[in-house]
Structures are given as C-alpha cells and as structure tokens.
Amino acid sequence: MRLTRFSDYSLRVLMYTESRGERLITIEETAATYRISRTHLMKVCHQLTRAGFLRAIRGRSGGLVLARAPSEIGIGEVLRLTEPDFALVECFGGGKDCVIAPRCRLQGVLHEALAAFLATVDRYTLADLMLNPADFGLAPAA
C-alpha cells in the first residue's frame, strides 16, 4: 500500500504547523522547509483549511495555524480526507474485469489488511507526531 503525495504533504503540513505553536506559518516557508512544490502545498492547505484542520488568517501578516488541538486531529481522519480511495486492487474500485472476481478470496484478505491499517492510524493523533522546530532546522517558536 502506498499513500498519495497529497496525503504525505498533508501530514507534513500539519506536523510543521503544530511545531510552530501559535506562530502563523506560510505556504512559502513550509515549501522551503520541505523543499517541495509551493503549488502542491497551496492545494493541500486549501483542503486542510476547508476541512477544519487549519485556520487561514488573511492579510499582509496572515498565515496558517492549527484550527484544532493536535490531540483532536486524527491521522486516520486526515488520510480518509486526502486519499482519493483505498482501492488496493482493481476489484475494490468496482472493476469487474478479473475473471476470478466472483470467486476470489484475495479481496477478503486485502479488505482485512486495509481495515487493520485504518484501525492502526485511527489510534494516533497529530499530538503523537509532535516535533520541535529544531527537528526542521528552525529556531524555536516564539
């Protein structure tokens, strides 16, 4: 199983934002910190803001801050938002091109594995992933 880059970036943005405490972060500084595309991060931050994980402050000295406490942001909740689907194989997505689909036992095994994965990430929150600004090579939040 592999998560999309969108999910990866979403978790990274939340971790970075949390590390900065109440200090507003910007997409530009986050992109520079992770050395990733500003354009991708704009999309990520927009979705995280619409979903209520981040709060956007407009204006010249605006930026982003967590909208909820880290302990209230579930990793499973974030992944369910950011992953387009969890179709591990073709038949998960409704495709019936496989000749053995009606009798296949693999689908049940993979559904069980997916359920175990989701149960595991559901046990964790952003608070469990907390890092310090120094972990990002930055000065501590003011």
Side-chain angles (χ1 to χ4, degrees), residues 97-116:
D97 292 337
C98 181
V99 298
I100 64 168
R103 297 169 297 287
C104 184
R105 294 182 199 128
L106 177 60
Q107 190 178 49
V109 171
L110 294 178
H111 272 295
E112 183 180 341
L114 177 58

Side-chain angles (χ1 to χ4, degrees), residues 8-60:
D8 177 27
Y9 289 176
S10 295
L11 292 171
R12 289 198 226 182
V13 165
L14 292 171
M15 291 169 63
Y16 181 73
T17 306
E18 190 285 325
S19 77
R20 303 309 281 162
E22 293 298 314
R23 181 187 163 281
L24 296 177
I25 61 110
T26 66
I27 292 170
E28 290 75 18
E29 77 180 77
T30 308
T33 297
Y34 283 120
R35 297 181 192 103
I36 56 181
S37 165
R38 178 186 179 279
T39 304
H40 285 322
L41 285 185
M42 286 177 58
K43 294 173 189 172
V44 166
C45 291
H46 178 72
Q47 184 162 352
L48 292 173
T49 301
R50 287 187 61 198
F53 295 112
L54 294 176
R55 186 167 42 99
I57 309 298
R58 295 186 184 267
R60 188 173 151 211

Side-chain angles (χ1 to χ4, degrees), residues 69-81:
S71 61
E72 296 174 2
I73 298 176
I75 302 307
E77 182 183 6
V78 174
L79 293 179
R80 283 179 182 86
L81 170 75

Side-chain angles (χ1 to χ4, degrees), residues 70 123-130:
R123 291 193 323 250
Y124 295 92
T125 68
L126 184 59
D128 296 311
L129 307 180
M130 289 173 49

Side-chain angles (χ1 to χ4, degrees), residues 5 59 64 137:
R5 190 171 281 151
L64 299 163

